Amino acid sequence: MALEWVVLGYAAGAEAIMVLLLTLPGLDGLRKGLVAVTRNLLKPFLSVVPFCLFLLMDIYWKYETRPKCEFDASCTPSEHLRHQKSIMKSQRNALLIAAALVFYWLLYSVTHLVVRIEQLNQRVERLKARD
């Protein structure tokens, strides 16, 4: 199961780097190439959404089937510690899922806005050239 989280972490990191590169000022010369690459990667990165849903269901299943340590006498200290570690990992993984989904949404929105701004700038230039 660790490989799935590594893949999701790399995907979220790649999305974050692309959002950062698209929004940094001063990269106007590279922006057209970045927009082209990002637009081509949006469809493959869409697979992050069902993958996140699958991993969220996995977290839920682990939560529902975990051993219950409701009373201090019902669990040994090692079982209690393992239970606490499992909860911490689930919380970390839920944050990673949320980050991957938010970064995908940001990447999609920023790419759409950058493309729209470029189209509007071209339209303004054509109107100025006409007058």
Side-chain angles (χ1 to χ4, degrees):
M1 284 303 277
L3 183 61
E4 294 165 345
W5 298 108
V6 170
V7 168
L8 186 62
Y10 282 142
E15 290 169 351
I17 289 170
M18 285 190 277
V19 167
L20 185 66
L21 288 174
L22 282 175
T23 57
L24 278 177
L27 296 177
D28 295 331
L30 295 173
R31 187 148 296 134
K32 282 191 178 190
L34 287 171
V35 168
V37 168
T38 305
R39 287 182 75 183
N40 288 334
L41 287 176
L42 279 175
K43 280 188 181 177
F45 272 150
L46 185 60
S47 64
V48 166
V49 175
F51 190 59
C52 285
L53 293 175
F54 166 73
L55 292 175
L56 198 60
M57 292 297 291
D58 182 55
I59 289 173
Y60 178 75
W61 179 79
K62 284 181 182 177
Y63 178 77
E64 286 295 319
T65 60
R66 77 186 192 294
K68 306 289 186 211
C69 290
E70 296 167 354
F71 304 109
D72 292 334
S74 65
C75 291
T76 64
S78 63
E79 288 174 338
H80 188 67
L81 183 62
R82 192 175 80 235
H83 172 69
Q84 292 297 324
K85 283 183 180 179
S86 174
I87 289 174
M88 293 286 284
K89 284 181 182 179
S90 294
Q91 291 171 346
R92 179 200 62 202
N93 292 341
L95 284 174
L96 182 61
I97 289 170
L101 292 173
V102 166
F103 280 131
Y104 180 80
W105 177 74
L106 282 172
L107 183 63
Y108 176 80
S109 298
V110 167
T111 303
H112 179 71
L113 288 174
V114 168
V115 168
R116 184 74 178 136
I117 288 171
E118 285 180 6
Q119 290 172 349
L120 290 174
N121 284 338
Q122 289 173 358
R123 183 184 286 177
V124 167
E125 288 176 12
R126 275 187 276 144
L127 288 175
K128 282 182 181 178
R130 218 199 268 171
D131 292 334

